[in-house]
Amino acid sequence: MDKRKITYFEIFLVVSLSISFSWIIGDIYGTTPKIENILEFISLIPSVSAQATECCVNTNYGASCVDLPTGDCDSSCNEECVPTSCQSVSQCVLGCGFDKSEGTCNPNIPKVACDENENCEFLNDPFCNVPQCQQGCCVVGLNSYWGTQSECEIQGERAGISSEFDSSVESEQACFRESQNLEEGACVFNLGDEKNSCVFTNQLNCDNNINGVFYKGYLCSNTELDTNCEKQDSTNCFEGKDEIYWYDSCGNRENIYSSDKTRSWNNGKVLAKGESCNPNSDNSGSGSCGNCNYELGSICGEFNPGVDKGNMEGFTCKDLNCIDSEKKSRINGESWCVYDGPIGSGSLLSGKSGGLLSGILGNFEGSLGFLSTDLVGSRHFRQVCSNGEVQVEPCADYRKEICVQNEKKLDNGKKVDDAICRVNLWEQCLSYNGGLGEEGCGAGCLAKCGNNPDCRIQPIFVDSDFKFNTCVPKYPPGFDLGKTSGMGGILQSFAGVGDFGNFGDLGGQLGNLGGEQQESDASQICGLASQTCQVTYQKMCPGGWKAVKNEKCESASFTAQMNNLCVSLGDCGVYTNIEGKTGFGGAKVSKKGNHGKTPPQPFILFPVYAILSKTLKPVPPSGGFFQEENNLLNLPTGIIDPFLNGYNRVNSGGVGPGGLLDSVRGNAGAIGISGVAGAGIGGAVGVATYSVSSAALGSLTVEGITTSYTLTSTTGVSILGSGVLSPLALTGIGLGVGIVVGIVLTQVLGCGQQEIVEIKFECKQWQPPPGGRDCEKCSDDPLKPCSKYRCESLGNRCSLLNEGTGVQECISIEGENTIPIITPLEEVLNKSLYKYEEISNNGFRVRTSEGECLPAFSPIVFGVKTDVYADCRWSLEPFRYENSSQSSPFLEGLTKQVFTKNHTMVTFLPSAESLLAGEVNNQDELNQILDEEIEGGLSVRQYLLNQVGDLNVYVQCANLDGNANDQNYRINFCVDPSPDEQPPVIIATAPPENNLTKFDATEQQVAMFISEPAECKWDTIKPIETDKTNLYNSLTNEMSCEVDPSKGGLLGWPCISTFAITDLENKFYVQCKDQPWLGNNESRNIGSVYEYKLYRSESELVINSVKPAGEIFAGAEPVIVDLEVKTSGGAENGNAICEWGFDPEFYIDKFTDSNGKEHHYSLNQMIAGDYEVYIRCRDIAGNIAEESSSFNLKLDTKPPIVTRVFNEGGRLILTMDEPSRCFYNVENSCSFSNENLTEFEGGNSQTLTTNLDKEINYNIICQDVWGNRPDACSIIIKEFDDRGI
Amino acid sequence: MDVKIKGIFSNSKKGQITVFIILAILLVMTILLLFMLYQNQLQGKTGNTKKNTQGIFEECINNYVGDATELIFENSGYTELPSLVYSVTNVKGYYKQYELKDIPYLCYTNSNYARCVPQAPLLINHLEKQIKTYIEPKTEFCFEILSKDLKERAYDVRLGKTELLEVNLRDKGIETFIKKELIQAKSGKEERIEEFNAVYSTHLYDIAKVAEKIVYEETTFCNSDYVEIMRGNTGIEIEKFQTGDDVKIYTVRNKLTKKEWEFAVRGCILGTPS
């Protein structure tokens, strides 16, 4: 046995343990499972390591110019890969592909893709701004559409009619309107008949294609034209138009439907939409006017009784409008923006702060100012009313797109909202700062910032020497919060409050331990707002130390203004998330120096922000629509990011604005303080310490003696003081003394000395609130789908698991960061057959319930459990989790990495012999190989037996942070080494045993799943042989079986055949023979005969009754009609699912209320008329029954009539023509009120009675069950004399 | 009596001639009539054969065109899905994996800050090629069926080479045109067919044009106003879904047939600071 075969064996083991996955995949995709797919899947799991890319100009899968990882490139490329990015390859230059066969233009395609297509002409402008691609309005026959001139001509040619192109039409909408306004009329021609023929069309079509005489504005039914077309013969919709139209007897469209036929016909002339009935209404629900209007929210459609209102000869104006979440009515097609809270710029004081916060606000001395208010975790959404339903379109997350909204004026003058998601140009705002020769946002920056709708100026004016402007995003971007959540985030949060508590250095150290102190992209952006204010203190004599410059930097105003700047840069500082909560580590203030006080910490602003987030209403920004897009982005090339050009960042490729930061680094002083003395602060972004060069002039006055000092600070608080004599001191006698005194005072008492105190604001990445209590709120609103960003903003323990798998979940990962503890998963193990034993921290064994090795080809489901959410992988060799190529996922993670706590696996363990089955052709060959000797004197047979006799599956599980257990967890199996004496067993069948087939079934395809690779036969006659071999041979029909050991599935190895259904009970006898690779060898095991039964349905499924039928009455429209259907027979004695419709080809809905045999449906919008309702029922075996019922729904609007009055034993008896209730009064009045009424007994029947008093007159009024009653008395009985009755 | 007989007899020669002439005329007319009838019948038969030949071919080829169309709907524009490709970041490059489905990108760029590049430019042309590639090897099988059918009806059949196979996707359906000589002979009469045509009715064109329009707007404007597109294509409904990683998934569906085409778009992606 050579090593090659051993290797094959090893590979096979991997395969054999993977086989079960195929059926799972089959279940998922609903297709025939193929093991090859699974192998391909497993083998294609890529390495995560980053690689260089090369350009493949022509891939072998049809795409052109694709940057591929260097390692993968050759295998995916038809030609040699070019070792550069495709952007640099001449064949990959992007341009416009003009499709000569269709006449259309295709922007942004690589040159090579165009060159390879003979119908493509490459034009250099990637945006297709070339004459060939100029779009206009094309009219072909009665249709118009938006396209190029070539396209128009081609479509005309294909339709065989001439076309007309109009490039002066400005937009697609205008083109559409144009088509509505095409001047139409009657095209009259004669075919030799007595009367003229006519087609209603436009002049172009009439002249060029029909060759008739065109009568503009005439209907074909106009009597002047003497045509054979009769007016108003039918109604219908017309494709491309909104309204319901009358049609003449020739099938020509006439005017818009109106029940006022004369007005609608308009003396045979075209009646414009605006002059037709109710032109300013959508007319949905109207039963008399078919002037539907899509713009207003209706369109012509077939009338659907019970669903629609307003039947106009079988058609209706269908209501397409919506009601939004704020109960506002929205027109179909209208779109609007929805937000999570405030957006754009807003004032802290513009929210309703109320008395609660007056104390806090008082601290800020009215200087809270403006900030960019988008909440952390928030997203912009565009909602659209689309054919009666509100659809949500989330803009790109992390506020990379914003929702902008304009007002659109409809043709009828009505204004509606029109919204769209567009790119948020926030990066441009930051790049404007620190232009050439400018500090902070200087003149050049201010102009650019003011012109960019996504930017705003954030002025900082704390004191006269601490003021500057910054251009900041109006809609600050979201950051990837995942990087700050988890342990790092928590520690950083802890560190953030360090200076404020007693944790000082400890906090900092913890922060470093958290691994988040390195300069990430986000922290560098936030760092733009990390600034230091230098407060100058001077010793006064008397009076002591007093701030003489920037003293307000010690006030709350400094904190508020700086935090506003910080928040406006992105997800920075102290601010609230969409739930109004925050972590407090996003910003802090510290003081360095011996004097003064530290301003309030930013976290005290939180209540203000929290209220702001709930009270400030968002105002959707306008602008940025398609037609303005090019202006807005000023895009000369395919790069949508013009600001990148200036910063050498055209080919960013990766994620994150590294280029931006590079650019800002290159423009140190991007944000600087424009102070009197030009003290530049904090210009270098991302640098922890700031170079400060300040020249502060201090002055000291002591009773006429003025001594000036120049104080120069180069490193923050270090002070250099040197006295400089005032020239004034040189005059006068006393001056000399004064100088001396002054020097003495200065030197001895320190009067006039100055010291710098640094007030430092540190702006960091925003911190999520601690914990994970709000995680589940992420999915609260179905119109605001949960996303990674949204989830992670809700708490530092929130994490979105299994994103994009359809089972994504925002969970709290509290305690989820520990190394997973692996234990056996008991729930999935069939304990009647197997057991786990010798369970330890390092693994367990799987054995039969008797403690023996597992028989070969036994299906076994087993698994492991983890105490935390984890991703588990397995291998037959010890491995490291990080090296994913060496291992395979469990069932749950087959298609994508899924973190879960239960990890399942299904497998069959192969026999030793079967491992070589694929290598040999017959038994002799197999024996020969098995007896071969390999290294160490072992035979191949012994080697294989050793392998399957001690088989280990190694498992590693990693928690959400990717940290896996150090040691491989080991699951041990052994396969019974004895020769295979187990006969094959049928494990499962499809359809299941005893299944019912249809009443008229003649055959049934059946799949049987066998416990091991086998060949099977079947028959309908029970075999009488006693010997298994003879018995097997006596079966006449062969099944098509999977015999490859490596191609088993979850249920085993399938065998398929078609069984004949001939009777009510159909018995089939199936028998299988294992080890197909042994050919005719007698050692093959034959299983028992398996009796499989299928039953045919005993009777047809029958619909016994359908109600209503015949005439039914109601009092008023709309009428509620209850459909009732009863079924019997079929597979389950009438149990079936039924559906109904008014057309046998189209069933509208399933019966909602059904107990299997009785089915109910309520039609609640019915109007009078004839109906035929079609019913179709289907039972579990597939039997189908169809029935219909006709009914005539009539309205009873007449009051009931008294047919007879008589006395019977002192009782006054009324008989009625229909069930009624009758009332009387004795006031000789036919005016009835509740007070004077007495009701006859026997209400709602046709015979009513009351006690007879012959002395009084009875004024009687009766009403039927529909409430119809006469305006006056139904009958008056005066001076009762029963002789007359 | 004799006279009478004689008389009659004496006139019989002329009468005989007349009778013979009449009979001859009748005979000629009958022959002509029969000939004409036979001719008509023959022509009718030939016509039917022609019709059958086209009909059999059309039925067969449309079967395959139908299969190709179904696959195109199923695989979002491809009769066979391209091989899987992974990018460096362990993410599939040319499919968007969403809810356990692989949805091919119709417009894609791996780069941030860049517009997407159409993956199947000249979409109608691309679809025609897909269908052509799919049916090309199967057309011979259709001719085999046709040939077999004709042989069963006692025709001698000779088939030439396929000189041209053209597939055109049009609004009325998919037109297949094959230029190939087929000679069928029976009873010494030979008939030659040089072209075969078939039209398969489908709404693929309408759906593809809408998909093309969406891609056009995405490449130009970084977005598409799908509501407005629906307005201009009343028989179509469009759904748009934006995933957490900013990939857009569009579903274009024919309202009547419910046939739909799902595809993904990745472009104009901005970076996320982290």
Side-chain angles (χ1 to χ4, degrees), chain A residues 672-684:
Chain A
I673 297 173
S674 179
V676 173
I681 299 177

Side-chain angles (χ1 to χ4, degrees), chain A residues 796-840:
Chain A
N796 63 1
R797 286 300 185 195
C798 295
S799 179
L800 187 70
L801 285 192
N802 311 322
E803 190 181 5
T805 59
V807 289
Q808 67 178 31
E809 192 183 357
C810 183
I811 63 146
S812 170
I813 53 165
E814 198 81 50
E816 294 291 334
N817 56 355
T818 57
I819 300 296
I821 295 171
I822 305 172
T823 52
L825 179 61
E826 300 278 356
E827 292 87 333
V828 296
L829 189 74
N830 182 346
K831 286 177 184 160
S832 62
L833 297 174
Y834 307 108
K835 67 177 180 182
Y836 298 138
E837 61 179 32
E838 295 184 31
I839 299 168
S840 73

Side-chain angles (χ1 to χ4, degrees), chain A residues 1219-1240:
Chain A
S1220 309
R1221 292 173 69 191
C1222 292
F1223 306 84
Y1224 69 89
N1225 70 41
V1226 293
E1227 294 167 358
N1228 292 328
S1229 165
C1230 281
S1231 173
F1232 296 91
S1233 66
N1234 287 336
E1235 288 75 33
N1236 64 4
L1237 286 181
T1238 305
E1239 185 171 359
F1240 278 74

Side-chain angles (χ1 to χ4, degrees), chain B residues 72-113:
Chain B
I72 280 172
F73 282 124
E74 202 174 299
N75 298 331
S76 307
Y78 297 88
T79 49
E80 193 176 342
L81 276 173
S83 315
L84 302 182
V85 174
Y86 291 90
S87 78
V88 288
T89 51
N90 200 14
V91 176
K92 287 180 182 179
Y94 293 87
Y95 297 89
K96 173 62 188 169
Q97 197 174 53
Y98 185 73
E99 294 193 351
L100 304 179
K101 280 188 290 186
D102 285 332
I103 302 170
Y105 286 103
L106 213 52
C107 198
Y108 179 80
T109 177
N110 194 31
S111 303
N112 289 354
Y113 303 94

